[in-house]
Amino acid sequence: MIVVMNPGAKKEQVDHVILRLTQLGFGIHLSEGESRTVIGAIGDRSKALSIGLEAMEGVEKVVPISKPFKLVSREFRKDDTVIELNGVRIGDEKVIVMAGPCAVESEEQVHQIAEAIKKAGADVLRGGAFKPRTSPYAFQGMEEEGLKLLAEAREKTGLLIVTEVVNPQCVPLVEKYADILQVGARNMQNFHLLRELGKTRKPVLLKRGLSATIEEWLMAAEYLMSGGNYNVILCERGIRTFETYTRNTLDLSAIPIVKELSHLPVIVDPSHGTGQRKLVSSMCKAAIAAGADGLMIEVHPDPERALCDGPQSLNPAQFMELMNGLRRVAVSVDRTL
Ligand code: PEP
Ligand code: MN
């Protein structure tokens, strides 16, 4: 449930409500909005009614949250969540672009791509150092060496770094280098990993599972938030359907649905969403028009020779051209890029 405080509620009144709820064993999550404070309380609601919560000083009302996801819901937080990282605001007016290779392959590759995407106006460099591959014989990533290369590229360009963390044991290592920790589609319901990431305060980019419903995806985000990490970014990356022409079916309708259900920022990955380079541009445009807060795009200096996901990767020139085209789309829906 949520306890909505009066607009002018004093800090002592908020603290008193929190104290009483804590004594009853509730988990407390505070949301301090522009106009009022809302206390999210996770626990047995009947207990709260027994202490006359609604009659306490400063309390305006007590409202149950009807959805299975609580902290993720718009009911808990009316305003959009904006995650600020080194001047980059994710979930705000500017559409954020994360770009880079599927996998970190070499120093030269990372530096070349970092320079190119920076020049084109991207905000975040992506690149997998740990690659969860369908085949055990495929390239599995450069691991810590790859993380170091990403960190060096950040030093040189000022770009933020997003990279995938594949298991709970790796969290401290990846956290040491990355600005944003990515949970891949195959790990969306790895609840041990989500619990571990709930303990950190670094932003987590949570990709939608290959066959996950929107509710399952939001419940995965609830794992992160219930652990106290409110810095969650959702990423639609396509789902499995009967269609075989594309690698996945990019569910663009998920954007307005999630924006209505949740306050969390939503970004779209048209590279994995389609699996085809030629479809990336139109899906980026559609994603922005549908209200996405950002994009994740695979870019490689030489896609033909990429160790991973070459067919869906753009080269730097194609990426530059894409960015220039997208700016106009962003402006047309009152966003920037
Ligand atoms: C990736 O972004 O590197 C990746 C593996 O994507 P996904 O988890 O969406 O398949
Ligand atoms: Mn990839």
Side-chain angles (χ1 to χ4, degrees):
M1 64 184 180
I2 55 172
V3 182
V4 181
M5 301 301 290
N6 286 323
K10 297 193 183 73
K11 186 175 177 305
E12 302 87 77
Q13 294 171 334
V14 175
D15 288 346
H16 179 67
V17 173
I18 291 176
L19 178 69
R20 294 292 283 125
L21 286 168
T22 310
Q23 285 167 345
L24 289 175
F26 279 85
I28 300 298
H29 300 267
L30 206 57
S31 166
E32 286 170 303
E34 266 169 33
S35 57
R36 65 183 73 208
T37 296
V38 171
I39 303 166
I42 309 290
D44 179 359
R45 190 166 158 253
S46 61
K47 280 193 193 159
L49 299 177
S50 71
I51 57 166
L53 197 57
E54 278 199 292
M56 282 185 193
E57 298 231 24
V59 173
E60 184 181 296
K61 58 183 173 184
V62 180
V63 193
I65 300 181
S66 53
K67 310 266 181 348
F69 42 89
K70 311 288 180 195
L71 305 173
V72 162
S73 74
R74 275 271 178 213
E75 288 158 284
F76 174 61
R77 202 174 194 285
K78 217 158 67 14
D79 306 326
D80 287 341
T81 286
V82 177
I83 298 169
E84 179 155 3
L85 268 175
N86 213 5
V88 175
R89 291 171 61 80
I90 304 168
D92 210 352
E93 189 188 318
K94 184 174 188 294
V95 177
I96 299 306
V97 178
M98 308 183 180
C102 181
V104 174
E105 297 171 9
S106 69
E107 181 174 355
E108 196 194 351
Q109 176 230 26
V110 174
H111 289 163
Q112 233 175 307
I113 221 65
E115 294 294 340
I117 66 153
K118 169 89 184 172
K119 206 163 124 204
D123 309 280
V124 183
L125 173 65
R126 64 145 287 145
F130 294 89
K131 294 304 302 174
R133 305 301 299 278
T134 303
S135 164
Y137 309 119
F139 174 59
Q140 305 283 314
M142 288 180 74
E143 306 194 344
E144 188 167 6
E145 230 16 71
L147 295 174
K148 286 184 183 156
L149 294 178
L150 289 170
E152 273 170 39
R154 170 181 44 213
E155 288 303 307
K156 285 206 178 130
T157 58
L159 290 164
L160 297 168
I161 302 298
V162 59
T163 195
E164 182 164 349
V165 51
V166 289
N167 61 47
Q169 300 77 38
C170 279
V171 172
L173 175 70
V174 180
E175 201 180 11
K176 205 164 98 187
Y177 295 97
D179 300 296
I180 304 172
L181 304 165
Q182 179 171 325
V183 175
R186 289 154 195 80
N187 261 324
M188 188 204 82
Q189 283 189 317
N190 181 340
F191 300 118
H192 290 281
L193 176 61
L194 298 177
R195 283 245 185 262
E196 205 53 39
L197 291 170
K199 294 182 201 156
T200 86
R201 293 297 173 265
K202 279 234 162 133
V204 175
L205 178 85
L206 179 66
K207 287 198 147 192
R208 181 177 180 181
L210 276 74
S211 303
T213 63
I214 289 174
E215 190 169 298
E216 286 163 343
W217 185 21
L218 295 179
M219 290 307 285
E222 187 79 13
Y223 264 87
L224 297 166
M225 288 192 71
S226 65
N229 190 351
Y230 296 171
N231 299 318
V232 180
I233 305 157
L234 298 165
C235 178
E236 163 61 43
R237 49 77 71 206
I239 48 174
R240 279 279 165 88
T241 68
F242 50 79
E243 182 54 66
T244 53
Y245 189 75
T246 45
R247 180 177 177 184
N248 292 291
T249 296
L250 187 63
D251 181 9
L252 291 175
S253 66
I255 307 165
I257 295 171
V258 169
K259 295 295 284 179
E260 186 182 315
L261 293 174
S262 176
H263 50 85
L264 294 173
V266 185
I267 74 160
V268 171
D269 170 353
S271 307
H272 293 91
T274 63
Q276 295 184 48
R277 180 181 309 128
K278 68 177 181 193
L279 299 177
V280 168
S281 166
S282 49
M283 291 302 98
C284 284
K285 290 175 187 156
I288 295 173
D293 297 302
L295 299 164
M296 174 175 261
I297 303 165
E298 285 189 339
V299 188
H300 191 283
D302 187 0
E304 244 180 65
R305 291 196 175 72
L307 295 181
C308 178
D309 287 351
Q312 68 195 31
S313 301
L314 305 183
N315 67 31
Q318 290 162 337
F319 180 66
M320 175 72 92
E321 194 186 329
L322 170 70
M323 290 291 280
N324 291 336
L326 292 182
R327 261 177 216 113
R328 281 179 289 144
V329 180
V331 169
S332 74
V333 289
D334 300 325
R335 308 283 295 253
T336 56
L337 182 132

